[in-house]
Amino acid sequence: MKEVFPRRGLPNVIQKLENGDTVTIVYFGGSNTRSEGYRVMTADWLREQYPKADIRTVNAGINGTGSDLGCARAESDVLRHRPDLVFVEFVGNDGGDPESKARIEGIVRQIRKRSRFTDILFVYTLKERDVPLFQSGEYQKGALMQEEVADYYGIPSIHLGVAVSQLVSEGQLVFTSSEDVSIPGAIVFTHDSIHPTIPEGHRIYTDTITRSFESIRELQDQPGRLVHHLPQNPLVPGNSWEYATMLSLDSLPDPIITAGWSYVTPEESALVREYSWLFPGLWRAADPGEAITVQFAGTRIGLFDIGGPDSGRLKVSVDGGEPFIVDRFTPYNDHNRNQYVFLPELPNGKHTVRFEVDHEKTDKMAVFEACGNERSMEHVRQHPDWYDQTVIRLGKLLLVQPPL
């Protein structure tokens, strides 16, 4: 199996590196990108290769997030940095979601609309469940969908699972083992079946990326800047994800906010300080019946928020229709964490949406029982008052707003 597909390569960033120019690289993805792994190691390698270049990097990885949130935050987290190269890493969190192809294309089209000279590189991580596929000669479903986008736009891609699965087959790598177990003569790749160990596991990812970069560089056959391809029509018919954005609540026209909501700043709250790298502040409500009503034009609206043991449910109504429940407590909320949700797609047009803290409470113990998560169940037993709350903490609104 091939691990690199060069396509139209990385001509513009390579030329700037060779010229010793200032180069900005944005690493855009999930937890594998946010960690101090391949992101840091590949940047160090590039600085060794091009000591005259001023290489600046941006960590645009957010744990537990996919390409749908990626579309919404492309402007704030990627494009405002005017990157020369963007690593895109979302296969792990997108999985085989059929919408992934449209969302990845939405990211590509946003980058290309801003600059036709920015190079893009897709990197595909893998989970333990993907190893049998690679060993049988198949890439994971999510990567295959993104490859269609890569083909359409001439974007190079690197399949990081090829080398890992080969090492598993050769007995040189154990994909998952607990932290307290060492295995003589073998690399332990992860402790959780998803996130590579640092440095050993991420070194394999890095070595794959750097030798692929060298292959792409060797194939570069023409000097000068290359204007990248932006077809008028998207690959996915009617794709609207290139119009995704992320906005603060007060940037929408005349939101209606009941008195029980308060805007909490990092100076006022340790939790808000912890997430100040994501949000300048959080809108918080704790009591059932407190509501926010917003108006927007587009096809989708969503919430980027902080969930935790105290999270409640929202009763949502769209354009005066029948309310439905959006639960902001998830199976992962035995601790505070960033999370997000998009509401179902709407006809493109003007909409009014009301979010109200629901009176009914989620059976949080049942949520953990359904997952068989004994540790989280014990946490509920130890801190029942934490879980017996209906708190909502809103950071940003997510919108998809194609032209009307």
Side-chain angles (χ1 to χ4, degrees):
M1 297 178 71
K2 291 175 63 176
E3 64 182 12
V4 58
F5 291 81
R7 297 188 177 90
R8 299 192 78 191
L10 304 168
N12 300 320
V13 72
I14 288 175
Q15 183 185 50
K16 292 189 74 171
L17 288 166
E18 291 177 344
N19 290 344
D21 295 338
T22 297
V23 169
T24 299
I25 302 173
V26 174
Y27 292 84
F28 192 34
S31 53
N32 281 322
T33 293
R34 180 156 186 81
S35 72
E36 303 292 301
Y38 88 88
R39 172 179 56 81
V40 173
M41 295 176 182
T42 56
D44 288 345
W45 179 83
L46 285 168
R47 292 186 179 105
E48 292 171 1
Q49 293 285 305
Y50 302 98
K52 295 182 180 179
D54 178 12
I55 299 174
R56 305 175 182 182
T57 64
V58 176
N59 182 358
I62 301 180
N63 297 357
T65 65
S67 59
D68 47 359
L69 182 65
C71 288
R73 63 188 185 92
E75 171 62 40
S76 60
D77 292 1
V78 179
L79 299 178
R80 72 180 179 90
H81 299 289
R82 301 169 63 95
D84 299 289
L85 171 63
V86 181
F87 281 74
V88 177
E89 177 270 310
F90 286 112
V91 158
N93 288 329
D94 278 7
D97 188 332
E99 281 282 313
S100 177
K101 180 165 67 173
R103 295 164 179 166
I104 289 293
E105 183 181 35
I107 291 171
V108 170
R109 292 187 70 86
Q110 286 189 61
I111 296 171
R112 291 275 167 92
K113 284 193 295 186
R114 176 63 64 88
S115 169
R116 300 285 288 276
F117 298 102
T118 298
D119 294 336
I120 304 171
L121 176 63
F122 288 174
V123 292
Y124 308 131
T125 59
L126 86 162
K127 302 179 180 180
E128 186 167 22
R129 69 186 185 200
D130 301 322
V131 172
L133 280 173
F134 278 88
Q135 291 175 327
S136 65
E138 297 180 41
Y139 301 109
Q140 66 267 60
K141 184 178 179 181
L144 292 175
M145 285 190 286
Q146 292 196 25
E147 285 290 84
E148 294 182 51
V149 178
D151 277 336
Y152 193 66
Y153 292 93
I155 296 168
S157 60
I158 302 173
H159 294 262
L160 302 178
V162 174
V164 175
S165 60
Q166 287 175 346
L167 290 170
V168 171
S169 297
E170 294 165 2
Q172 299 181 50
L173 182 146
V174 174
F175 202 98
T176 303
S177 179
S178 59
E179 293 187 49
D180 56 353
V181 175
S182 61
I183 302 175
I187 298 167
V188 174
F189 189 62
T190 78
H191 298 309
D192 62 1
S193 81
I194 298 172
H195 301 99
T197 53
I198 298 174
E200 296 85 358
H202 269 278
R203 173 56 58 193
I204 298 169
Y205 276 178
T206 301
D207 289 345
T208 302
I209 293 170
T210 56
R211 66 173 168 265
S212 298
F213 190 95
E214 289 178 326
S215 297
I216 293 168
R217 180 172 58 191
E218 290 168 4
L219 290 171
Q220 187 163 320
D221 56 1
Q222 57 179 24
R225 302 179 81 193
L226 176 68
V227 178
H228 286 300
H229 187 44
L230 179 61
Q232 181 176 352
N233 296 319
L235 171 65
V236 178
N239 191 359
S240 61
W241 281 100
E242 66 184 279
Y243 302 104
T245 189
M246 182 168 68
L247 300 174
S248 59
L249 176 61
D250 56 10
S251 67
L252 289 182
D254 303 319
I256 301 172
I257 306 171
T258 59
W261 287 88
S262 60
Y263 187 73
V264 186
T265 66
E267 293 74 27
E268 299 169 307
S269 163
L271 186 147
V272 179
R273 279 196 299 277
E274 181 182 350
Y275 290 96
S276 60
W277 63 281
L278 282 178
F279 310 116
L282 293 170
W283 284 95
R284 182 186 186 277
D287 297 327
E290 299 296 344
I292 290 174
T293 303
V294 298
Q295 296 180 337
F296 80 102
T299 59
R300 289 182 186 270
I301 187 169
L303 308 174
F304 192 13
D305 55 354
I306 300 297
D310 57 1
S311 289
R313 304 161 18 135
L314 287 169
K315 186 165 61 175
V316 181
S317 58
V318 179
D319 298 330
E322 188 70 22
F324 57 94
I325 296 298
V326 176
D327 200 341
R328 301 317 298 136
F329 181 82
T330 76
Y332 306 103
N333 285 146
D334 61 358
H335 62 285
N336 296 318
R337 67 193 297 271
N338 57 268
Q339 57 191 28
Y340 67 99
V341 63
F342 278 93
L343 303 190
E345 188 171 13
L346 300 166
N348 192 18
K350 296 181 178 180
H351 301 285
T352 300
V353 184
R354 187 175 191 270
F355 300 95
E356 178 186 327
V357 182
D358 192 33
H359 287 78
E360 292 189 27
K361 297 177 181 178
T362 298
D363 186 341
K364 297 175 181 180
M365 179 67 86
V367 171
F368 293 143
E369 286 175 348
C371 303
N373 191 334
E374 182 57 43
R375 179 180 61 83
S376 298
M377 291 158 61
E378 179 59 28
H379 196 250
V380 178
R381 288 189 282 267
Q382 291 176 0
H383 305 283
D385 54 324
W386 293 4
Y387 288 86
D388 188 30
Q389 298 182 59
T390 56
V391 176
I392 300 295
R393 297 183 187 88
L394 173 62
K396 293 287 182 74
L397 292 175
L398 311 174
L399 300 168
V400 180
Q401 299 183 293
L404 294 176

